[in-house]
Amino acid sequence: MGDDLGDEWWDHEDASEPEEETQQERQPTETPKTEAKPEKRKGIAQKTVKAKKKKKNEQKECISPPKTETEGEKSAKLKKKRKKKKKTITDVLSSSEPKPGCPADLQNMVTKYFSDKLSVVEQDELKLDSCFLTSNDMTHSLSSYLKQVCPKWSKIQKQHTENSSVVLLIVCSSALRTIELIKQLTTFKGEAKAIKLFAKHIKIEEQVKLLQKGVTHIGVGTPGRISALIEREGLNLQALKYLVLDWNWRDQKLRRMLDIPEIKLDFMKLLESGILNGCKEDRVKIGLF
């Protein structure tokens, strides 16, 4: 028994040691396999988290409100708008001296206004070349201008005997301007009677009565009230010989009478009420003061 054990016991020990060594060597090779799996899972999880963050950022960019303009950007836009703004009559005239009106100015205005209201034949009849008096060159007062264009005034006023009519009609833009012009008539009118024809503080019925009472030679007023009196037959144009427009006078905004749309419309109605027919028949003369 002792011999048998003595022959083989060391052989068994030697054989067991390499087995243990092989097991120890296998263990480290197998452990990284088990550890690689969680690392892969972590990588996948991180990728999904990043993808979710990107989606959230994209959604935020889409939903984000529009950027508010800074004060500098607003001021720059306002400056651009101001540059694009059209020049007004006041802007143009403040940088240049106003020129006196001429017959072509009124003719062009009348032609343009009636271009879409009358036929071609009727528009040809609107030519007023033969109806114009000498225009004011802006050196005259009202009295001196009227003496120039109406040299036989004293005789004309004596011959006028009709009620509800005038020989000379002066058209201006406002009541205040009417009063100013009547004051300027003193050296021209002589014994002639002048009447104010505007709407401010004066009822149209009162003006109708004044025209019917006695002979009136000169009427000074606004186109709106003059047209209204003609429509009501309070004023007729049978005796009218001279129509003088306060053309060159300008208000505080440097606007002429016919630069104001409302007055321009009233004036065109006044022309249609019988003055254009008087010009065609060579009974009425037009002057630009």
Side-chain angles (χ1 to χ4, degrees), residues 229-248:
L229 285 166
I230 294 168
E231 286 176 7
R232 291 201 180 192
E233 297 182 354
L235 176 67
N236 67 70
L237 303 176
Q238 292 175 359
L240 184 66
K241 294 184 181 295
Y242 301 102
L243 175 70
V244 175
L245 308 180
D246 189 26
W247 187 273
N248 295 307

Side-chain angles (χ1 to χ4, degrees), residues 4-269:
D4 293 333
L5 292 167
D7 290 335
E8 296 175 357
W9 70 271
W10 58 83
D11 292 331
H12 292 289
E13 287 176 357
D14 293 335
S16 63
E17 284 177 3
E19 286 178 3
E20 289 175 358
E21 288 176 3
T22 54
Q23 288 176 358
Q24 288 175 358
E25 288 175 0
R26 285 176 185 173
Q27 284 176 359
T29 57
E30 291 174 359
T31 51
K33 288 180 182 179
T34 56
E35 290 176 1
K37 289 180 181 178
E39 284 180 0
K40 285 182 181 179
R41 287 175 183 172
K42 285 180 183 179
I44 293 165
Q46 287 175 356
K47 286 179 181 179
T48 56
V49 171
K50 287 181 181 179
K52 287 179 181 179
K53 284 182 179 180
K54 283 182 180 179
K55 285 182 180 179
K56 285 181 181 179
N57 291 331
E58 288 174 359
Q59 289 176 356
K60 285 180 181 179
E61 288 176 1
C62 295
I63 300 167
S64 61
K67 294 181 180 179
T68 56
E69 293 181 352
T70 60
E71 291 182 1
E73 290 174 349
K74 287 180 180 178
S75 61
K77 284 185 177 180
L78 287 171
K79 285 179 181 178
K80 286 180 180 179
K81 286 181 181 179
R82 286 172 186 169
K83 287 179 181 178
K84 291 178 181 179
K85 190 178 179 182
K86 291 181 180 180
K87 289 185 178 181
T88 61
I89 296 167
T90 308
D91 296 332
V92 174
L93 294 175
S94 60
S95 59
S96 61
E97 293 184 2
K99 296 179 181 179
C102 63
D105 295 334
L106 179 57
Q107 181 66 69
N108 292 336
M109 190 176 290
V110 170
T111 304
K112 186 177 180 181
Y113 177 79
F114 289 104
S115 61
D116 58 345
K117 296 175 177 62
L118 300 176
S119 64
V120 178
V121 177
E122 289 173 329
Q123 288 179 35
D124 289 336
E125 295 176 357
L126 286 176
K127 291 181 180 179
L128 307 173
D129 298 337
S130 60
C131 300
F132 286 107
L133 299 166
T134 305
S135 300
N136 180 22
D137 58 0
M138 299 180 72
T139 60
H140 287 280
S141 65
L142 181 59
S143 288
S144 64
Y145 174 71
L146 291 174
K147 284 178 182 178
Q148 181 183 355
V149 297
C150 308
K152 298 180 180 180
W153 174 250
S154 59
K155 184 180 179 181
I156 291 169
Q157 71 167 5
K158 288 176 182 177
Q159 292 175 347
H160 177 60
T161 57
E162 294 181 24
N163 293 351
S164 300
S165 63
V166 294
V167 179
L168 170 61
L169 193 58
I170 302 172
V171 182
C172 59
S173 59
S174 66
L176 289 173
R177 183 60 179 163
T178 299
I179 294 166
E180 288 177 10
L181 292 174
I182 286 175
K183 288 178 181 178
Q184 293 179 26
L185 283 171
T186 50
T187 58
F188 167 76
K189 68 177 184 177
E191 297 178 359
K193 183 181 176 181
I195 187 172
K196 296 176 285 188
L197 302 175
F198 55 77
K200 193 173 184 179
H201 306 307
I202 303 175
K203 293 180 180 179
I204 192 168
E205 292 81 7
E206 294 176 6
Q207 290 171 337
V208 171
K209 288 178 182 178
L210 287 171
L211 287 164
Q212 289 174 347
K213 273 185 180 180
V215 177
T216 307
H217 304 86
I218 303 170
V220 186
T222 57
R225 176 48 63 94
I226 295 168
S227 297
L229 285 166
I230 294 168
E231 286 176 7
R232 291 201 180 192
E233 297 182 354
L235 176 67
N236 67 70
L237 303 176
Q238 292 175 359
L240 184 66
K241 294 184 181 295
Y242 301 102
L243 175 70
V244 175
L245 308 180
D246 189 26
W247 187 273
N248 295 307
W249 184 82
R250 298 180 185 271
D251 62 11
Q252 292 180 350
K253 295 181 180 179
L254 300 178
R255 297 176 301 177
R256 297 174 303 178
M257 174 178 68
L258 297 183
D259 291 330
I260 302 167
E262 297 84 3
I263 296 174
K264 181 181 176 181
L265 184 62
D266 288 339
F267 175 71
M268 293 301 171
K269 288 180 181 177

